[in-house]
Amino acid sequence: MYDAINDKFKEECGVFGIFSKNELDVARYTYYGLYALQHRGQESAGIAVANGAKIEMHKNLGLLTEAFSENDLDKLKGHISIGHVRYSTTGANRVENSQPLVSSTKLGSIAIAHNGNLVNADVIKDLLEDSGYVFHTTIDSEVIISLIARSAKHGITKAVFNAVQAVRGSFAMVILTEDKLIGVRDPHGIRPLCLGEINGDYILCSESCALETVGAEFIRDINPGEIITISKDGIESIKYSEKTLCETCAFEYIYFARPDSTIDGINVHESRVKAGEMLYKQNPIDADVVIGVPDSGLASAIGYSNASGIPFDPGFVKNRYVGRTFITPNQDMREKAVSVKLNPLRSNVKGKRIVLIDDSIVRGTTSRHLVDSLKRAGAKEVHFRVASPMVKFPCYFGIDTPYRRELIGANNTLEKIKDIIGCDSIDYLEQENLLKCFGRKKGFCLGCFDGVYPVATPIETDKDHLER
């Protein structure tokens, strides 16, 4: 069943952690930090707080506003906190699969919040079960916390070091002990993680926009293959992998990240504007108006307008009260779901030649409905421009992508895609030009475009592969 309201790659997760020596209300800081990261996951939310003696936690399904009340936050007292907003790339959407996860070890309680996907989780899980370990969730994050717990007798830093040496895939995670906050980024830096500071207290989070939300200053990105430990003694950094090359997921810039974030030195909004400019330079076309698909297509539409001199104007009215998921009762209404969320602004499109810009095309179902709605609103021509290369392969590193057989770019020529979508012409941003928008030729995971991944990938599987 396709989701007509949201024919996009699904987000991964967002993590946030804070260590305070100044008696901040760390639970509330984490809550508002997660609020800034809500776009990264809307299925569940959770916060764990340590007070030096124990870890308290609250988590629930839904958005932050649904998962937490004032009373829930009042109960979370301490000086260190981590939080998580989740979209399930592995494991079903059940509250026991929500994060953070908490485990008891020889060193006391630890909690973990993880963004990413482990490609060897099944193998490690089987080995741990054979040695008697009982898993309580169906998510790959429990594999990491169980590995840490098994090595806890060596000290928490060594335990984390040993655990991340064993796993493969993508991970940006924050780990909470009773007296420390630890951040880890995978050796390829596929998922983002950064460090910030507020009045001498330190924050780790997925995107820099969360730092600004809570009034913190950005310090730096956590390096690929780095473990950073924050305690009352300050910050300690350990490099656990020597052969590291930052290969940030390109889709962080194209679609996932908030436009006011800067990741690994690249401002998200600026890269999207440049993508629009490059689309015009790559294949100029004469038209009357440039419109973008809200929200992540708007910046590229502005860039296209800047480069071409063709006016930019809103082409769709967005219903702000439709979330990223909503109930559609039957197939007939599913077909109309796009119109519930986006409706063409008839006065801006009637009788005009339109350049329609979106950040990406996955299955093509939404694109077809958008083109059709513009033509029904009187558009004379619709020229579709995509501010990313053609998606031809699934992602295995923390994005819930369709099977390859469902990707429109994997199975059709450009001409065929034009016919399926019903536009007058179509063009995708070439991969070489995407890299020009980023300002460097290396440093990105482009696997969903060219099938070349930074880590060996498993046989194509669905996100419930850890279910028993």
PDB file of all heavy atoms in Angstrom, residues 171 184-191 193 220-227 238-248 264:
ATOM      1  N   PHE A 171      25.847   4.780  12.772  1.00  0.00           N
ATOM      2  CA  PHE A 171      25.357   5.082  14.118  1.00  0.00           C
ATOM      3  C   PHE A 171      25.890   6.425  14.603  1.00  0.00           C
ATOM      4  O   PHE A 171      27.068   6.736  14.500  1.00  0.00           O
ATOM      5  CB  PHE A 171      25.699   3.977  15.130  1.00  0.00           C
ATOM      6  CG  PHE A 171      27.113   3.477  15.092  1.00  0.00           C
ATOM      7  CD1 PHE A 171      28.106   4.055  15.870  1.00  0.00           C
ATOM      8  CD2 PHE A 171      27.453   2.404  14.284  1.00  0.00           C
ATOM      9  CE1 PHE A 171      29.408   3.583  15.844  1.00  0.00           C
ATOM     10  CE2 PHE A 171      28.747   1.917  14.247  1.00  0.00           C
ATOM     11  CZ  PHE A 171      29.739   2.510  15.030  1.00  0.00           C
ATOM     12  N   VAL A 184      29.020   8.873  20.290  1.00  0.00           N
ATOM     13  CA  VAL A 184      29.801   8.062  19.352  1.00  0.00           C
ATOM     14  C   VAL A 184      29.262   8.265  17.941  1.00  0.00           C
ATOM     15  O   VAL A 184      28.047   8.291  17.737  1.00  0.00           O
ATOM     16  CB  VAL A 184      29.734   6.548  19.681  1.00  0.00           C
ATOM     17  CG1 VAL A 184      30.761   5.781  18.857  1.00  0.00           C
ATOM     18  CG2 VAL A 184      29.920   6.278  21.156  1.00  0.00           C
ATOM     19  N   ARG A 185      30.187   8.392  16.985  1.00  0.00           N
ATOM     20  CA  ARG A 185      29.799   8.474  15.570  1.00  0.00           C
ATOM     21  C   ARG A 185      30.529   7.371  14.808  1.00  0.00           C
ATOM     22  O   ARG A 185      31.691   7.085  15.070  1.00  0.00           O
ATOM     23  CB  ARG A 185      30.168   9.849  15.006  1.00  0.00           C
ATOM     24  CG  ARG A 185      29.467  10.180  13.700  1.00  0.00           C
ATOM     25  CD  ARG A 185      29.724  11.610  13.283  1.00  0.00           C
ATOM     26  NE  ARG A 185      29.062  11.911  12.015  1.00  0.00           N
ATOM     27  CZ  ARG A 185      29.301  12.991  11.281  1.00  0.00           C
ATOM     28  NH1 ARG A 185      30.188  13.877  11.693  1.00  0.00           N
ATOM     29  NH2 ARG A 185      28.663  13.183  10.137  1.00  0.00           N
ATOM     30  N   ASP A 186      29.820   6.754  13.853  1.00  0.00           N
ATOM     31  CA  ASP A 186      30.401   5.622  13.140  1.00  0.00           C
ATOM     32  C   ASP A 186      31.623   6.042  12.317  1.00  0.00           C
ATOM     33  O   ASP A 186      31.823   7.227  12.051  1.00  0.00           O
ATOM     34  CB  ASP A 186      29.344   4.942  12.252  1.00  0.00           C
ATOM     35  CG  ASP A 186      28.966   5.769  11.035  1.00  0.00           C
ATOM     36  OD1 ASP A 186      29.795   5.886  10.106  1.00  0.00           O
ATOM     37  OD2 ASP A 186      27.837   6.292  10.988  1.00  0.00           O
ATOM     38  N   PRO A 187      32.466   5.073  11.920  1.00  0.00           N
ATOM     39  CA  PRO A 187      33.738   5.399  11.250  1.00  0.00           C
ATOM     40  C   PRO A 187      33.584   6.132   9.926  1.00  0.00           C
ATOM     41  O   PRO A 187      34.558   6.698   9.421  1.00  0.00           O
ATOM     42  CB  PRO A 187      34.386   4.018  11.028  1.00  0.00           C
ATOM     43  CG  PRO A 187      33.768   3.137  12.044  1.00  0.00           C
ATOM     44  CD  PRO A 187      32.361   3.628  12.214  1.00  0.00           C
ATOM     45  N   HIS A 188      32.373   6.127   9.363  1.00  0.00           N
ATOM     46  CA  HIS A 188      32.146   6.817   8.092  1.00  0.00           C
ATOM     47  C   HIS A 188      31.349   8.116   8.276  1.00  0.00           C
ATOM     48  O   HIS A 188      31.130   8.844   7.312  1.00  0.00           O
ATOM     49  CB  HIS A 188      31.421   5.894   7.110  1.00  0.00           C
ATOM     50  CG  HIS A 188      32.180   4.643   6.807  1.00  0.00           C
ATOM     51  ND1 HIS A 188      33.190   4.587   5.883  1.00  0.00           N
ATOM     52  CD2 HIS A 188      32.100   3.411   7.346  1.00  0.00           C
ATOM     53  CE1 HIS A 188      33.696   3.366   5.838  1.00  0.00           C
ATOM     54  NE2 HIS A 188      33.062   2.637   6.728  1.00  0.00           N
ATOM     55  N   GLY A 189      30.899   8.371   9.493  1.00  0.00           N
ATOM     56  CA  GLY A 189      30.157   9.602   9.748  1.00  0.00           C
ATOM     57  C   GLY A 189      28.884   9.709   8.933  1.00  0.00           C
ATOM     58  O   GLY A 189      28.477  10.812   8.548  1.00  0.00           O
ATOM     59  N   ILE A 190      28.235   8.575   8.672  1.00  0.00           N
ATOM     60  CA  ILE A 190      27.046   8.576   7.804  1.00  0.00           C
ATOM     61  C   ILE A 190      25.921   9.395   8.430  1.00  0.00           C
ATOM     62  O   ILE A 190      25.256  10.182   7.753  1.00  0.00           O
ATOM     63  CB  ILE A 190      26.596   7.130   7.520  1.00  0.00           C
ATOM     64  CG1 ILE A 190      27.702   6.365   6.783  1.00  0.00           C
ATOM     65  CG2 ILE A 190      25.301   7.126   6.685  1.00  0.00           C
ATOM     66  CD1 ILE A 190      27.441   4.872   6.658  1.00  0.00           C
ATOM     67  N   ARG A 191      25.703   9.208   9.717  1.00  0.00           N
ATOM     68  CA  ARG A 191      24.677   9.978  10.430  1.00  0.00           C
ATOM     69  C   ARG A 191      25.341  11.117  11.204  1.00  0.00           C
ATOM     70  O   ARG A 191      26.424  10.956  11.765  1.00  0.00           O
ATOM     71  CB  ARG A 191      23.910   9.071  11.385  1.00  0.00           C
ATOM     72  CG  ARG A 191      23.110   8.010  10.680  1.00  0.00           C
ATOM     73  CD  ARG A 191      21.836   8.578  10.066  1.00  0.00           C
ATOM     74  NE  ARG A 191      21.496   7.847   8.842  1.00  0.00           N
ATOM     75  CZ  ARG A 191      21.356   8.387   7.660  1.00  0.00           C
ATOM     76  NH1 ARG A 191      21.511   9.680   7.506  1.00  0.00           N
ATOM     77  NH2 ARG A 191      21.051   7.669   6.613  1.00  0.00           N
ATOM     78  N   LEU A 193      26.256  14.076  14.034  1.00  0.00           N
ATOM     79  CA  LEU A 193      26.280  14.278  15.482  1.00  0.00           C
ATOM     80  C   LEU A 193      27.206  15.454  15.758  1.00  0.00           C
ATOM     81  O   LEU A 193      28.301  15.531  15.196  1.00  0.00           O
ATOM     82  CB  LEU A 193      26.793  13.026  16.203  1.00  0.00           C
ATOM     83  CG  LEU A 193      26.672  13.015  17.735  1.00  0.00           C
ATOM     84  CD1 LEU A 193      25.205  13.005  18.165  1.00  0.00           C
ATOM     85  CD2 LEU A 193      27.405  11.826  18.340  1.00  0.00           C
ATOM     86  N   ARG A 220      31.578  21.977  17.437  1.00  0.00           N
ATOM     87  CA  ARG A 220      32.099  21.242  16.282  1.00  0.00           C
ATOM     88  C   ARG A 220      31.269  19.997  16.043  1.00  0.00           C
ATOM     89  O   ARG A 220      30.478  19.567  16.901  1.00  0.00           O
ATOM     90  CB  ARG A 220      33.560  20.833  16.507  1.00  0.00           C
ATOM     91  CG  ARG A 220      33.788  19.802  17.614  1.00  0.00           C
ATOM     92  CD  ARG A 220      35.247  19.393  17.671  1.00  0.00           C
ATOM     93  NE  ARG A 220      35.548  18.441  18.737  1.00  0.00           N
ATOM     94  CZ  ARG A 220      35.478  17.121  18.625  1.00  0.00           C
ATOM     95  NH1 ARG A 220      35.044  16.574  17.487  1.00  0.00           N
ATOM     96  NH2 ARG A 220      35.803  16.329  19.643  1.00  0.00           N
ATOM     97  N   ASP A 221      31.466  19.394  14.873  1.00  0.00           N
ATOM     98  CA  ASP A 221      30.888  18.087  14.593  1.00  0.00           C
ATOM     99  C   ASP A 221      31.748  17.021  15.251  1.00  0.00           C
ATOM    100  O   ASP A 221      32.981  17.144  15.322  1.00  0.00           O
ATOM    101  CB  ASP A 221      30.838  17.835  13.079  1.00  0.00           C
ATOM    102  CG  ASP A 221      29.860  18.750  12.377  1.00  0.00           C
ATOM    103  OD1 ASP A 221      28.641  18.542  12.544  1.00  0.00           O
ATOM    104  OD2 ASP A 221      30.298  19.682  11.678  1.00  0.00           O
ATOM    105  N   ILE A 222      31.108  15.960  15.741  1.00  0.00           N
ATOM    106  CA  ILE A 222      31.860  14.802  16.220  1.00  0.00           C
ATOM    107  C   ILE A 222      32.476  14.140  14.991  1.00  0.00           C
ATOM    108  O   ILE A 222      31.818  13.982  13.955  1.00  0.00           O
ATOM    109  CB  ILE A 222      30.942  13.824  16.971  1.00  0.00           C
ATOM    110  CG1 ILE A 222      30.231  14.545  18.125  1.00  0.00           C
ATOM    111  CG2 ILE A 222      31.735  12.618  17.479  1.00  0.00           C
ATOM    112  CD1 ILE A 222      31.141  15.241  19.101  1.00  0.00           C
ATOM    113  N   ASN A 223      33.734  13.766  15.072  1.00  0.00           N
ATOM    114  CA  ASN A 223      34.424  13.186  13.928  1.00  0.00           C
ATOM    115  C   ASN A 223      34.009  11.740  13.698  1.00  0.00           C
ATOM    116  O   ASN A 223      33.638  11.033  14.644  1.00  0.00           O
ATOM    117  CB  ASN A 223      35.940  13.247  14.149  1.00  0.00           C
ATOM    118  CG  ASN A 223      36.461  14.666  14.178  1.00  0.00           C
ATOM    119  OD1 ASN A 223      36.060  15.493  13.360  1.00  0.00           O
ATOM    120  ND2 ASN A 223      37.332  14.970  15.125  1.00  0.00           N
ATOM    121  N   PRO A 224      34.075  11.264  12.464  1.00  0.00           N
ATOM    122  CA  PRO A 224      33.844   9.843  12.211  1.00  0.00           C
ATOM    123  C   PRO A 224      34.836   9.007  13.028  1.00  0.00           C
ATOM    124  O   PRO A 224      36.014   9.362  13.138  1.00  0.00           O
ATOM    125  CB  PRO A 224      34.116   9.702  10.712  1.00  0.00           C
ATOM    126  CG  PRO A 224      33.910  11.069  10.149  1.00  0.00           C
ATOM    127  CD  PRO A 224      34.342  12.012  11.218  1.00  0.00           C
ATOM    128  N   GLY A 225      34.346   7.929  13.623  1.00  0.00           N
ATOM    129  CA  GLY A 225      35.220   7.065  14.402  1.00  0.00           C
ATOM    130  C   GLY A 225      35.672   7.671  15.720  1.00  0.00           C
ATOM    131  O   GLY A 225      36.721   7.304  16.246  1.00  0.00           O
ATOM    132  N   GLU A 226      34.875   8.586  16.286  1.00  0.00           N
ATOM    133  CA  GLU A 226      35.253   9.247  17.544  1.00  0.00           C
ATOM    134  C   GLU A 226      34.280   8.893  18.666  1.00  0.00           C
ATOM    135  O   GLU A 226      33.067   8.824  18.462  1.00  0.00           O
ATOM    136  CB  GLU A 226      35.272  10.768  17.353  1.00  0.00           C
ATOM    137  CG  GLU A 226      35.688  11.535  18.612  1.00  0.00           C
ATOM    138  CD  GLU A 226      35.680  13.042  18.447  1.00  0.00           C
ATOM    139  OE1 GLU A 226      35.103  13.534  17.450  1.00  0.00           O
ATOM    140  OE2 GLU A 226      36.239  13.737  19.313  1.00  0.00           O
ATOM    141  N   ILE A 227      34.840   8.648  19.847  1.00  0.00           N
ATOM    142  CA  ILE A 227      34.061   8.527  21.082  1.00  0.00           C
ATOM    143  C   ILE A 227      34.379   9.749  21.929  1.00  0.00           C
ATOM    144  O   ILE A 227      35.548  10.054  22.179  1.00  0.00           O
ATOM    145  CB  ILE A 227      34.423   7.256  21.873  1.00  0.00           C
ATOM    146  CG1 ILE A 227      34.142   5.995  21.059  1.00  0.00           C
ATOM    147  CG2 ILE A 227      33.646   7.204  23.199  1.00  0.00           C
ATOM    148  CD1 ILE A 227      34.675   4.718  21.701  1.00  0.00           C
ATOM    149  N   ILE A 238      38.332  10.047  22.154  1.00  0.00           N
ATOM    150  CA  ILE A 238      39.096   8.858  21.775  1.00  0.00           C
ATOM    151  C   ILE A 238      38.773   8.524  20.318  1.00  0.00           C
ATOM    152  O   ILE A 238      37.601   8.506  19.913  1.00  0.00           O
ATOM    153  CB  ILE A 238      38.735   7.642  22.655  1.00  0.00           C
ATOM    154  CG1 ILE A 238      39.121   7.888  24.112  1.00  0.00           C
ATOM    155  CG2 ILE A 238      39.432   6.373  22.147  1.00  0.00           C
ATOM    156  CD1 ILE A 238      38.630   6.811  25.052  1.00  0.00           C
ATOM    157  N   LYS A 239      39.786   8.250  19.538  1.00  0.00           N
ATOM    158  CA  LYS A 239      39.608   7.797  18.156  1.00  0.00           C
ATOM    159  C   LYS A 239      39.636   6.272  18.189  1.00  0.00           C
ATOM    160  O   LYS A 239      40.637   5.670  18.553  1.00  0.00           O
ATOM    161  CB  LYS A 239      40.747   8.334  17.295  1.00  0.00           C
ATOM    162  CG  LYS A 239      40.551   8.143  15.815  1.00  0.00           C
ATOM    163  CD  LYS A 239      39.733   9.255  15.218  1.00  0.00           C
ATOM    164  CE  LYS A 239      39.759   9.187  13.695  1.00  0.00           C
ATOM    165  NZ  LYS A 239      38.861  10.135  13.060  1.00  0.00           N
ATOM    166  N   TYR A 240      38.504   5.632  17.856  1.00  0.00           N
ATOM    167  CA  TYR A 240      38.458   4.175  17.947  1.00  0.00           C
ATOM    168  C   TYR A 240      38.662   3.498  16.592  1.00  0.00           C
ATOM    169  O   TYR A 240      38.774   2.278  16.507  1.00  0.00           O
ATOM    170  CB  TYR A 240      37.134   3.707  18.564  1.00  0.00           C
ATOM    171  CG  TYR A 240      35.912   3.907  17.691  1.00  0.00           C
ATOM    172  CD1 TYR A 240      35.524   2.956  16.752  1.00  0.00           C
ATOM    173  CD2 TYR A 240      35.129   5.050  17.817  1.00  0.00           C
ATOM    174  CE1 TYR A 240      34.404   3.149  15.959  1.00  0.00           C
ATOM    175  CE2 TYR A 240      34.014   5.246  17.028  1.00  0.00           C
ATOM    176  CZ  TYR A 240      33.650   4.283  16.100  1.00  0.00           C
ATOM    177  OH  TYR A 240      32.541   4.481  15.314  1.00  0.00           O
ATOM    178  N   SER A 241      38.710   4.279  15.519  1.00  0.00           N
ATOM    179  CA  SER A 241      38.897   3.709  14.180  1.00  0.00           C
ATOM    180  C   SER A 241      39.864   4.597  13.414  1.00  0.00           C
ATOM    181  O   SER A 241      39.624   5.792  13.248  1.00  0.00           O
ATOM    182  CB  SER A 241      37.564   3.610  13.438  1.00  0.00           C
ATOM    183  OG  SER A 241      37.726   3.084  12.153  1.00  0.00           O
ATOM    184  N   GLU A 242      40.955   4.015  12.969  1.00  0.00           N
ATOM    185  CA  GLU A 242      41.992   4.788  12.299  1.00  0.00           C
ATOM    186  C   GLU A 242      41.636   5.124  10.850  1.00  0.00           C
ATOM    187  O   GLU A 242      41.875   6.205  10.362  1.00  0.00           O
ATOM    188  CB  GLU A 242      43.324   4.032  12.345  1.00  0.00           C
ATOM    189  CG  GLU A 242      43.895   3.907  13.752  1.00  0.00           C
ATOM    190  CD  GLU A 242      44.092   5.255  14.428  1.00  0.00           C
ATOM    191  OE1 GLU A 242      44.562   6.192  13.772  1.00  0.00           O
ATOM    192  OE2 GLU A 242      43.749   5.373  15.619  1.00  0.00           O
ATOM    193  N   LYS A 243      41.049   4.156  10.157  1.00  0.00           N
ATOM    194  CA  LYS A 243      40.754   4.344   8.727  1.00  0.00           C
ATOM    195  C   LYS A 243      39.370   4.957   8.566  1.00  0.00           C
ATOM    196  O   LYS A 243      38.398   4.282   8.246  1.00  0.00           O
ATOM    197  CB  LYS A 243      40.851   3.012   7.989  1.00  0.00           C
ATOM    198  CG  LYS A 243      42.260   2.419   7.984  1.00  0.00           C
ATOM    199  CD  LYS A 243      42.293   1.097   7.221  1.00  0.00           C
ATOM    200  CE  LYS A 243      43.704   0.523   7.212  1.00  0.00           C
ATOM    201  NZ  LYS A 243      43.761  -0.777   6.497  1.00  0.00           N
ATOM    202  N   THR A 244      39.289   6.251   8.807  1.00  0.00           N
ATOM    203  CA  THR A 244      37.994   6.924   8.715  1.00  0.00           C
ATOM    204  C   THR A 244      37.990   7.919   7.558  1.00  0.00           C
ATOM    205  O   THR A 244      38.992   8.572   7.278  1.00  0.00           O
ATOM    206  CB  THR A 244      37.659   7.682  10.012  1.00  0.00           C
ATOM    207  OG1 THR A 244      38.672   8.659  10.250  1.00  0.00           O
ATOM    208  CG2 THR A 244      37.588   6.732  11.197  1.00  0.00           C
ATOM    209  N   LEU A 245      36.848   8.003   6.916  1.00  0.00           N
ATOM    210  CA  LEU A 245      36.605   8.995   5.868  1.00  0.00           C
ATOM    211  C   LEU A 245      35.167   9.447   6.024  1.00  0.00           C
ATOM    212  O   LEU A 245      34.247   8.617   5.985  1.00  0.00           O
ATOM    213  CB  LEU A 245      36.822   8.385   4.473  1.00  0.00           C
ATOM    214  CG  LEU A 245      36.413   9.271   3.292  1.00  0.00           C
ATOM    215  CD1 LEU A 245      37.308  10.502   3.223  1.00  0.00           C
ATOM    216  CD2 LEU A 245      36.473   8.492   1.980  1.00  0.00           C
ATOM    217  N   CYS A 246      34.969  10.731   6.256  1.00  0.00           N
ATOM    218  CA  CYS A 246      33.609  11.226   6.454  1.00  0.00           C
ATOM    219  C   CYS A 246      32.796  11.042   5.175  1.00  0.00           C
ATOM    220  O   CYS A 246      33.173  11.538   4.107  1.00  0.00           O
ATOM    221  CB  CYS A 246      33.639  12.698   6.845  1.00  0.00           C
ATOM    222  SG  CYS A 246      32.028  13.318   7.358  1.00  0.00           S
ATOM    223  N   GLU A 247      31.721  10.289   5.277  1.00  0.00           N
ATOM    224  CA  GLU A 247      30.824  10.047   4.146  1.00  0.00           C
ATOM    225  C   GLU A 247      29.382  10.274   4.603  1.00  0.00           C
ATOM    226  O   GLU A 247      28.586   9.348   4.705  1.00  0.00           O
ATOM    227  CB  GLU A 247      31.030   8.621   3.606  1.00  0.00           C
ATOM    228  CG  GLU A 247      32.418   8.409   3.017  1.00  0.00           C
ATOM    229  CD  GLU A 247      32.651   6.980   2.549  1.00  0.00           C
ATOM    230  OE1 GLU A 247      33.090   6.160   3.377  1.00  0.00           O
ATOM    231  OE2 GLU A 247      32.397   6.693   1.372  1.00  0.00           O
ATOM    232  N   THR A 248      29.092  11.537   4.875  1.00  0.00           N
ATOM    233  CA  THR A 248      27.776  11.918   5.359  1.00  0.00           C
ATOM    234  C   THR A 248      26.698  11.554   4.340  1.00  0.00           C
ATOM    235  O   THR A 248      26.883  11.725   3.139  1.00  0.00           O
ATOM    236  CB  THR A 248      27.725  13.441   5.598  1.00  0.00           C
ATOM    237  OG1 THR A 248      28.919  13.863   6.241  1.00  0.00           O
ATOM    238  CG2 THR A 248      26.522  13.818   6.442  1.00  0.00           C
ATOM    239  N   ASP A 264      28.657  18.984   9.104  1.00  0.00           N
ATOM    240  CA  ASP A 264      30.007  18.763   8.576  1.00  0.00           C
ATOM    241  C   ASP A 264      30.465  19.921   7.686  1.00  0.00           C
ATOM    242  O   ASP A 264      31.010  19.722   6.594  1.00  0.00           O
ATOM    243  CB  ASP A 264      30.078  17.425   7.830  1.00  0.00           C
ATOM    244  CG  ASP A 264      29.885  16.242   8.762  1.00  0.00           C
ATOM    245  OD1 ASP A 264      30.435  16.278   9.880  1.00  0.00           O
ATOM    246  OD2 ASP A 264      29.176  15.294   8.393  1.00  0.00           O
TER     247      ASP A 264
END
